[in-house]
Amino acid sequence: MSQTNGVAAGGRPLRAVTALSEGLLVGERFAIGTLMALLTGLILLNVVTRYGRVPLYWIDESAIFTTVWLTFIGASAMSRLRLDFSMTLMTERLSPAGARAMRVVSTLSILAFGLVLGGMCWLWMDPVGIAAAGFDAREFGGATFNFLYTERTQTLNWPSWVVYLVIPLFAFTLIIHSVANLIEDLGLAAPPDRSAIGIHNAEEVA
């Protein structure tokens, strides 16, 4: 099977999925590096301001939100790179065909989790409902008792739903990565060559 731009040529729809997954991975790598730099800066700023007896009360919450986004985006990237935690006690003792079958089952399980999480996010954030309410958060909350769009963070005073957006974003990227991994597990496409972007292990993601 030939390759074009690091993505196996196994049919246009399959190329589109794997190419989208690889594009998301590049974006996730940039986001992870940016968030890590931001988190480091926030921690250093917190140390300096506390040492100078002029602490900034919003830094702790900012660092927490940065860590949450970093965790979800990092988990998505790890799933595509197959660097997430796994138990190999049984698969190491299986035949190559059995190990491949178990890998497909594992990938399907991750895909199912992503789909369920995406469905829950749809029900939770209810974009159709908030749009029907004219994007009036109070009217929407009064009609549905879903006060997501009226809540605000404690110190930054940001709309809470903005912070929570990382969850549906994670569900979306996890689904795309899982489908791409499944395509490769079924032998419908070869794993892409990532030498051009320098990703070979977990340490190189950032």
Side-chain angles (χ1 to χ4, degrees):
M1 186 175 293
S2 62
Q3 288 195 347
T4 303
N5 296 327
V7 178
R12 184 171 297 177
L14 303 185
R15 291 201 305 270
V17 173
T18 52
L20 175 59
S21 177
E22 290 302 295
L24 288 173
L25 181 61
V26 173
E28 287 169 342
R29 185 190 183 196
F30 175 78
I32 289 169
T34 301
L35 290 171
M36 289 180 66
L38 176 60
L39 181 60
T40 302
L42 288 171
I43 293 173
L44 292 175
L45 181 60
N46 198 23
V47 171
V48 171
T49 55
R50 287 181 182 273
Y51 183 78
R53 300 183 183 276
V54 285
L56 300 176
Y57 65 92
W58 50 266
I59 291 182
D60 289 339
E61 190 173 59
S62 300
I64 291 172
F65 292 155
T66 302
T67 302
V68 169
W69 275 71
L70 181 60
T71 300
F72 276 102
I73 295 175
S76 175
M78 293 299 101
S79 70
R80 177 57 175 139
L81 295 172
R82 303 178 187 274
L83 295 173
D84 41 0
F85 291 103
S86 61
M87 298 293 293
T88 60
L89 183 63
M90 182 175 68
T91 55
E92 289 175 347
R93 290 164 172 77
L94 295 175
S95 65
R100 286 194 298 271
M102 289 303 298
R103 178 178 293 183
V104 170
V105 171
S106 175
T107 303
L108 285 172
S109 299
I110 296 173
L111 175 59
F113 172 78
L115 291 170
V116 171
L117 181 61
M120 291 177 62
C121 289
W122 182 269
L123 295 175
W124 175 40
M125 294 193 158
D126 194 5
V128 176
I130 187 66
F135 299 99
D136 186 324
R138 293 184 180 275
E139 180 181 341
F140 173 75
T144 65
F145 295 99
N146 182 350
F147 299 100
L148 170 66
Y149 297 102
T150 60
E151 296 175 351
R152 304 188 74 86
T153 60
Q154 292 183 352
T155 58
L156 293 170
N157 198 33
W158 290 353
S160 295
W161 66 269
V162 173
V163 179
Y164 298 151
L165 276 178
V166 71
I167 303 177
L169 176 64
F170 169 71
F172 171 75
T173 56
L174 186 65
I175 291 170
I176 299 299
H177 290 330
S178 298
V179 173
N181 286 342
L182 183 61
I183 290 171
E184 294 169 6
D185 291 341
L186 294 174
L188 302 176
D193 177 15
R194 299 190 179 99
S195 59
I197 58 176
I199 296 181
H200 302 89
N201 54 55
E203 287 73 21
E204 293 177 347
V205 173

